[in-house]
Amino acid sequence: MSVQTSLARALGESDRASDIVEFSTVVVTRDKQLRNVDHSMFQQKAEAEFPI
């Protein structure tokens, strides 16, 4: 599997997360694929979709 495919899969999984637990699980389990991604994007998504 190519790096781009792995990254696309990880990003897709995070986009489909239905709650903060699922989202966090994707981020942790896909850590290697997400290392080169702008993490502020994930923080913004989490803040918008899972307000405290």
PDB file of all heavy atoms in Angstrom, residues 33-51:
ATOM      1  N   GLN A  33       0.677   7.152   9.706  1.00  0.00           N
ATOM      2  CA  GLN A  33       0.196   7.732   8.455  1.00  0.00           C
ATOM      3  C   GLN A  33      -0.093   9.230   8.607  1.00  0.00           C
ATOM      4  O   GLN A  33      -0.055   9.970   7.644  1.00  0.00           O
ATOM      5  CB  GLN A  33      -1.085   7.039   7.974  1.00  0.00           C
ATOM      6  CG  GLN A  33      -0.865   5.648   7.466  1.00  0.00           C
ATOM      7  CD  GLN A  33      -1.120   4.595   8.530  1.00  0.00           C
ATOM      8  OE1 GLN A  33      -1.226   4.895   9.710  1.00  0.00           O
ATOM      9  NE2 GLN A  33      -1.191   3.352   8.113  1.00  0.00           N
ATOM     10  N   LEU A  34      -0.401   9.657   9.821  1.00  0.00           N
ATOM     11  CA  LEU A  34      -0.809  11.041  10.041  1.00  0.00           C
ATOM     12  C   LEU A  34       0.332  11.948  10.491  1.00  0.00           C
ATOM     13  O   LEU A  34       0.120  13.133  10.713  1.00  0.00           O
ATOM     14  CB  LEU A  34      -1.937  11.075  11.084  1.00  0.00           C
ATOM     15  CG  LEU A  34      -3.208  10.344  10.671  1.00  0.00           C
ATOM     16  CD1 LEU A  34      -4.179  10.277  11.827  1.00  0.00           C
ATOM     17  CD2 LEU A  34      -3.840  11.002   9.464  1.00  0.00           C
ATOM     18  N   ARG A  35       1.521  11.442  10.609  1.00  0.00           N
ATOM     19  CA  ARG A  35       2.637  12.248  11.114  1.00  0.00           C
ATOM     20  C   ARG A  35       2.935  13.461  10.259  1.00  0.00           C
ATOM     21  O   ARG A  35       3.356  14.481  10.774  1.00  0.00           O
ATOM     22  CB  ARG A  35       3.885  11.392  11.263  1.00  0.00           C
ATOM     23  CG  ARG A  35       3.766  10.496  12.451  1.00  0.00           C
ATOM     24  CD  ARG A  35       5.048   9.832  12.791  1.00  0.00           C
ATOM     25  NE  ARG A  35       4.781   8.954  13.935  1.00  0.00           N
ATOM     26  CZ  ARG A  35       5.607   8.071  14.362  1.00  0.00           C
ATOM     27  NH1 ARG A  35       6.761   7.900  13.781  1.00  0.00           N
ATOM     28  NH2 ARG A  35       5.292   7.321  15.401  1.00  0.00           N
ATOM     29  N   ASN A  36       2.742  13.368   8.963  1.00  0.00           N
ATOM     30  CA  ASN A  36       3.065  14.490   8.077  1.00  0.00           C
ATOM     31  C   ASN A  36       1.862  15.381   7.778  1.00  0.00           C
ATOM     32  O   ASN A  36       1.949  16.260   6.927  1.00  0.00           O
ATOM     33  CB  ASN A  36       3.654  13.965   6.765  1.00  0.00           C
ATOM     34  CG  ASN A  36       4.969  13.272   6.997  1.00  0.00           C
ATOM     35  OD1 ASN A  36       5.743  13.671   7.848  1.00  0.00           O
ATOM     36  ND2 ASN A  36       5.222  12.211   6.256  1.00  0.00           N
ATOM     37  N   VAL A  37       0.783  15.174   8.483  1.00  0.00           N
ATOM     38  CA  VAL A  37      -0.432  15.945   8.262  1.00  0.00           C
ATOM     39  C   VAL A  37      -0.467  17.121   9.236  1.00  0.00           C
ATOM     40  O   VAL A  37       0.003  17.019  10.361  1.00  0.00           O
ATOM     41  CB  VAL A  37      -1.671  15.046   8.482  1.00  0.00           C
ATOM     42  CG1 VAL A  37      -2.954  15.839   8.411  1.00  0.00           C
ATOM     43  CG2 VAL A  37      -1.679  13.932   7.466  1.00  0.00           C
ATOM     44  N   ASP A  38      -1.039  18.210   8.794  1.00  0.00           N
ATOM     45  CA  ASP A  38      -1.198  19.378   9.651  1.00  0.00           C
ATOM     46  C   ASP A  38      -2.190  19.027  10.762  1.00  0.00           C
ATOM     47  O   ASP A  38      -3.383  18.894  10.522  1.00  0.00           O
ATOM     48  CB  ASP A  38      -1.707  20.554   8.817  1.00  0.00           C
ATOM     49  CG  ASP A  38      -1.914  21.806   9.639  1.00  0.00           C
ATOM     50  OD1 ASP A  38      -1.517  21.846  10.817  1.00  0.00           O
ATOM     51  OD2 ASP A  38      -2.481  22.768   9.087  1.00  0.00           O
ATOM     52  N   HIS A  39      -1.698  18.874  11.981  1.00  0.00           N
ATOM     53  CA  HIS A  39      -2.550  18.441  13.087  1.00  0.00           C
ATOM     54  C   HIS A  39      -3.576  19.493  13.498  1.00  0.00           C
ATOM     55  O   HIS A  39      -4.568  19.165  14.131  1.00  0.00           O
ATOM     56  CB  HIS A  39      -1.703  18.017  14.272  1.00  0.00           C
ATOM     57  CG  HIS A  39      -1.052  16.686  14.077  1.00  0.00           C
ATOM     58  ND1 HIS A  39      -0.677  16.197  12.844  1.00  0.00           N
ATOM     59  CD2 HIS A  39      -0.708  15.726  14.953  1.00  0.00           C
ATOM     60  CE1 HIS A  39      -0.139  15.012  12.970  1.00  0.00           C
ATOM     61  NE2 HIS A  39      -0.137  14.704  14.238  1.00  0.00           N
ATOM     62  N   SER A  40      -3.360  20.740  13.132  1.00  0.00           N
ATOM     63  CA  SER A  40      -4.363  21.759  13.446  1.00  0.00           C
ATOM     64  C   SER A  40      -5.678  21.449  12.750  1.00  0.00           C
ATOM     65  O   SER A  40      -6.748  21.762  13.265  1.00  0.00           O
ATOM     66  CB  SER A  40      -3.866  23.153  13.072  1.00  0.00           C
ATOM     67  OG  SER A  40      -3.696  23.274  11.678  1.00  0.00           O
ATOM     68  N   MET A  41      -5.609  20.780  11.581  1.00  0.00           N
ATOM     69  CA  MET A  41      -6.815  20.367  10.866  1.00  0.00           C
ATOM     70  C   MET A  41      -7.637  19.422  11.745  1.00  0.00           C
ATOM     71  O   MET A  41      -8.852  19.541  11.841  1.00  0.00           O
ATOM     72  CB  MET A  41      -6.437  19.679   9.558  1.00  0.00           C
ATOM     73  CG  MET A  41      -7.594  19.088   8.798  1.00  0.00           C
ATOM     74  SD  MET A  41      -7.095  18.261   7.278  1.00  0.00           S
ATOM     75  CE  MET A  41      -6.112  16.906   7.889  1.00  0.00           C
ATOM     76  N   PHE A  42      -6.966  18.492  12.405  1.00  0.00           N
ATOM     77  CA  PHE A  42      -7.668  17.557  13.270  1.00  0.00           C
ATOM     78  C   PHE A  42      -8.238  18.254  14.499  1.00  0.00           C
ATOM     79  O   PHE A  42      -9.344  17.964  14.932  1.00  0.00           O
ATOM     80  CB  PHE A  42      -6.741  16.417  13.692  1.00  0.00           C
ATOM     81  CG  PHE A  42      -6.477  15.459  12.576  1.00  0.00           C
ATOM     82  CD1 PHE A  42      -5.312  15.540  11.851  1.00  0.00           C
ATOM     83  CD2 PHE A  42      -7.398  14.489  12.232  1.00  0.00           C
ATOM     84  CE1 PHE A  42      -5.065  14.680  10.800  1.00  0.00           C
ATOM     85  CE2 PHE A  42      -7.166  13.618  11.190  1.00  0.00           C
ATOM     86  CZ  PHE A  42      -6.001  13.719  10.475  1.00  0.00           C
ATOM     87  N   GLN A  43      -7.503  19.196  15.057  1.00  0.00           N
ATOM     88  CA  GLN A  43      -7.998  19.935  16.215  1.00  0.00           C
ATOM     89  C   GLN A  43      -9.243  20.731  15.849  1.00  0.00           C
ATOM     90  O   GLN A  43     -10.209  20.757  16.608  1.00  0.00           O
ATOM     91  CB  GLN A  43      -6.914  20.858  16.758  1.00  0.00           C
ATOM     92  CG  GLN A  43      -5.784  20.109  17.419  1.00  0.00           C
ATOM     93  CD  GLN A  43      -4.633  21.015  17.782  1.00  0.00           C
ATOM     94  OE1 GLN A  43      -4.438  22.064  17.189  1.00  0.00           O
ATOM     95  NE2 GLN A  43      -3.849  20.594  18.758  1.00  0.00           N
ATOM     96  N   GLN A  44      -9.222  21.374  14.690  1.00  0.00           N
ATOM     97  CA  GLN A  44     -10.382  22.141  14.250  1.00  0.00           C
ATOM     98  C   GLN A  44     -11.593  21.244  14.031  1.00  0.00           C
ATOM     99  O   GLN A  44     -12.714  21.593  14.410  1.00  0.00           O
ATOM    100  CB  GLN A  44     -10.052  22.914  12.976  1.00  0.00           C
ATOM    101  CG  GLN A  44      -9.077  24.036  13.202  1.00  0.00           C
ATOM    102  CD  GLN A  44      -8.582  24.656  11.909  1.00  0.00           C
ATOM    103  OE1 GLN A  44      -8.968  24.239  10.821  1.00  0.00           O
ATOM    104  NE2 GLN A  44      -7.718  25.652  12.030  1.00  0.00           N
ATOM    105  N   LYS A  45     -11.380  20.088  13.428  1.00  0.00           N
ATOM    106  CA  LYS A  45     -12.479  19.153  13.206  1.00  0.00           C
ATOM    107  C   LYS A  45     -13.056  18.688  14.534  1.00  0.00           C
ATOM    108  O   LYS A  45     -14.270  18.655  14.723  1.00  0.00           O
ATOM    109  CB  LYS A  45     -12.018  17.950  12.388  1.00  0.00           C
ATOM    110  CG  LYS A  45     -13.130  16.937  12.140  1.00  0.00           C
ATOM    111  CD  LYS A  45     -12.605  15.705  11.424  1.00  0.00           C
ATOM    112  CE  LYS A  45     -13.632  14.681  11.062  1.00  0.00           C
ATOM    113  NZ  LYS A  45     -14.715  14.415  11.976  1.00  0.00           N
ATOM    114  N   ALA A  46     -12.180  18.336  15.462  1.00  0.00           N
ATOM    115  CA  ALA A  46     -12.637  17.864  16.771  1.00  0.00           C
ATOM    116  C   ALA A  46     -13.412  18.947  17.504  1.00  0.00           C
ATOM    117  O   ALA A  46     -14.470  18.689  18.088  1.00  0.00           O
ATOM    118  CB  ALA A  46     -11.452  17.405  17.607  1.00  0.00           C
ATOM    119  N   GLU A  47     -12.918  20.185  17.463  1.00  0.00           N
ATOM    120  CA  GLU A  47     -13.622  21.290  18.129  1.00  0.00           C
ATOM    121  C   GLU A  47     -14.993  21.545  17.507  1.00  0.00           C
ATOM    122  O   GLU A  47     -15.963  21.791  18.213  1.00  0.00           O
ATOM    123  CB  GLU A  47     -12.785  22.562  18.050  1.00  0.00           C
ATOM    124  CG  GLU A  47     -11.564  22.528  18.931  1.00  0.00           C
ATOM    125  CD  GLU A  47     -10.661  23.724  18.725  1.00  0.00           C
ATOM    126  OE1 GLU A  47     -11.020  24.654  17.956  1.00  0.00           O
ATOM    127  OE2 GLU A  47      -9.579  23.748  19.336  1.00  0.00           O
ATOM    128  N   ALA A  48     -15.056  21.474  16.182  1.00  0.00           N
ATOM    129  CA  ALA A  48     -16.319  21.762  15.493  1.00  0.00           C
ATOM    130  C   ALA A  48     -17.347  20.654  15.693  1.00  0.00           C
ATOM    131  O   ALA A  48     -18.536  20.912  15.889  1.00  0.00           O
ATOM    132  CB  ALA A  48     -16.059  21.951  14.000  1.00  0.00           C
ATOM    133  N   GLU A  49     -16.902  19.399  15.662  1.00  0.00           N
ATOM    134  CA  GLU A  49     -17.837  18.291  15.707  1.00  0.00           C
ATOM    135  C   GLU A  49     -18.121  17.760  17.107  1.00  0.00           C
ATOM    136  O   GLU A  49     -19.163  17.146  17.331  1.00  0.00           O
ATOM    137  CB  GLU A  49     -17.314  17.155  14.823  1.00  0.00           C
ATOM    138  CG  GLU A  49     -17.194  17.594  13.390  1.00  0.00           C
ATOM    139  CD  GLU A  49     -17.473  16.494  12.415  1.00  0.00           C
ATOM    140  OE1 GLU A  49     -17.986  15.441  12.807  1.00  0.00           O
ATOM    141  OE2 GLU A  49     -17.179  16.725  11.235  1.00  0.00           O
ATOM    142  N   PHE A  50     -17.206  17.999  18.027  1.00  0.00           N
ATOM    143  CA  PHE A  50     -17.356  17.431  19.375  1.00  0.00           C
ATOM    144  C   PHE A  50     -17.169  18.518  20.435  1.00  0.00           C
ATOM    145  O   PHE A  50     -16.237  18.456  21.234  1.00  0.00           O
ATOM    146  CB  PHE A  50     -16.350  16.292  19.589  1.00  0.00           C
ATOM    147  CG  PHE A  50     -16.321  15.302  18.457  1.00  0.00           C
ATOM    148  CD1 PHE A  50     -15.204  15.157  17.676  1.00  0.00           C
ATOM    149  CD2 PHE A  50     -17.422  14.506  18.174  1.00  0.00           C
ATOM    150  CE1 PHE A  50     -15.161  14.243  16.627  1.00  0.00           C
ATOM    151  CE2 PHE A  50     -17.402  13.606  17.132  1.00  0.00           C
ATOM    152  CZ  PHE A  50     -16.278  13.470  16.357  1.00  0.00           C
ATOM    153  N   PRO A  51     -18.040  19.534  20.455  1.00  0.00           N
ATOM    154  CA  PRO A  51     -17.877  20.614  21.445  1.00  0.00           C
ATOM    155  C   PRO A  51     -18.049  20.092  22.875  1.00  0.00           C
ATOM    156  O   PRO A  51     -18.786  19.139  23.110  1.00  0.00           O
ATOM    157  CB  PRO A  51     -18.967  21.604  21.094  1.00  0.00           C
ATOM    158  CG  PRO A  51     -19.986  20.815  20.344  1.00  0.00           C
ATOM    159  CD  PRO A  51     -19.246  19.701  19.667  1.00  0.00           C
TER     160      PRO A  51
END
